[in-house]
Amino acid sequence: MAKILFIHPPSRRRVYLNTNVKVGSPDYPDLTLATLAGHLKGKHILKALDMELFLNYQDTLIQTLNIFKPDVVVSSSKSADFKVMIEIIKIVKSINKDIQTVVGGVHITTNPDVAKQIEEVDVAAVGEGDYILPLILNGGSLKDIQGIIYRQNGAIVENGKRKEFLNINKLPFPNWEMFDISIYKNSR
C-alpha cells in the first residue's frame, strides 16, 4: 500500500483572481484528481494538496512532503499551469529523489515531448489517466502499460498510445474524502 499525494497546481490566482472575472472563478476541489483517486481508494493511502488554497504554496508543499512522506506524487495540468506543475515536481525531487513522480493532463497529452525534457518526471501519462494511473500504481510493470513515457536507467521509454478509450460509465465515483470540503468557498 503506497502513500500517494495528489497535487493540484495553482493557476487561477495568476489567470483570474486579479481580474474583473474573479467572481466567475470559485474555489472547488479538482474533479480530475478526485476521479483519478477514485480508482485507488481503499488500495493506497491517499492525500490531496490543492495549491490553489495557499498563497505560499512552496512552503506548504515542503511541509506536506515532510509530514506525509509520500511514495508517489501525482499531478495533472492544463497548459496554463504546466510550468508551475513542473516547478512543483522539481521541489518534490529536491526534497526526496526517491519519490516517484507521475504527471499527466491535457498539456502532456497534446504535447508529450515536453515530458521527455524534464528529468524530474518519472512517468508521464499520455491520454486518459483514468486507465493508466491504476496500472502504474497497482503493481503493473511499466513496460507493459500503453500510453506512458517513462525513464528507465536514464533512458526515455515510450510505450505508444493506448487503444482503449474512456467509457464514462466505468469511472468510479470521485474520492472527495481526500479534500477538506469546508475550506472551499464560492465567490457568490
Side-chain angles (χ1 to χ4, degrees), residues 83-110:
K83 285 183 180 179
V84 76
M85 180 188 73
I86 295 309
E87 176 190 336
I88 289 166
I89 295 302
K90 288 181 179 199
I91 292 170
V92 168
K93 287 295 193 176
S94 75
I95 298 295
N96 183 347
K97 65 179 178 52
D98 295 326
I99 296 173
Q100 182 182 34
T101 56
V102 180
V103 299
V106 175
H107 190 81
I108 287 175
T109 296
T110 58

Side-chain angles (χ1 to χ4, degrees), residues 2-181:
K3 292 174 82 173
I4 303 167
L5 179 61
F6 289 86
I7 298 177
H8 180 225
S11 66
R12 280 181 334 106
R13 187 173 299 110
R14 191 176 67 248
V15 176
Y16 298 109
L17 293 184
N18 294 324
T19 70
N20 291 334
V21 296
K22 63 184 170 190
V23 296
S25 183
D27 290 330
Y28 55 89
D30 186 72
L31 178 60
T32 299
L33 296 182
T35 303
L36 290 172
H39 292 278
L40 306 169
K41 187 176 176 181
K43 298 174 184 152
H44 299 283
I45 300 166
L46 309 174
K47 181 173 182 62
L49 180 58
D50 189 343
M51 302 299 221
E52 292 283 11
L53 302 173
F54 304 99
L55 290 175
N56 188 345
Y57 66 87
Q58 295 94 339
D59 288 347
T60 303
L61 173 62
I62 292 167
Q63 181 181 16
T64 303
L65 291 169
N66 287 325
I67 293 170
F68 185 62
K69 299 190 184 314
D71 302 303
V72 181
V73 166
V74 175
S75 192
S76 177
S77 79
K78 300 168 282 309
S79 293
D81 53 17
F82 178 74
K83 285 183 180 179
V84 76
M85 180 188 73
I86 295 309
E87 176 190 336
I88 289 166
I89 295 302
K90 288 181 179 199
I91 292 170
V92 168
K93 287 295 193 176
S94 75
I95 298 295
N96 183 347
K97 65 179 178 52
D98 295 326
I99 296 173
Q100 182 182 34
T101 56
V102 180
V103 299
V106 175
H107 190 81
I108 287 175
T109 296
T110 58
N111 188 7
D113 288 337
V114 299
K116 299 175 197 174
Q117 300 167 11
I118 300 142
E119 66 183 59
E120 292 84 1
V121 171
D122 294 319
V123 182
V126 180
E128 299 296 344
D130 298 280
Y131 291 122
I132 297 168
L133 188 62
L135 295 173
I136 294 168
L137 299 177
N138 290 334
S141 173
L142 294 180
K143 68 180 177 58
D144 297 328
I145 303 172
Q146 288 182 318
I148 65 170
I149 298 169
Y150 66 99
R151 295 180 189 282
Q152 182 174 27
N153 301 322
I156 296 171
V157 180
E158 288 185 74
N159 287 0
K161 294 182 180 182
R162 288 195 67 76
K163 294 172 179 55
E164 195 172 11
F165 290 97
L166 180 65
N167 179 346
I168 196 165
N169 296 317
K170 292 185 179 182
L171 289 177
F173 286 107
N175 183 4
W176 297 119
E177 295 168 15
M178 291 192 319
F179 297 91
D180 178 0
I181 301 297

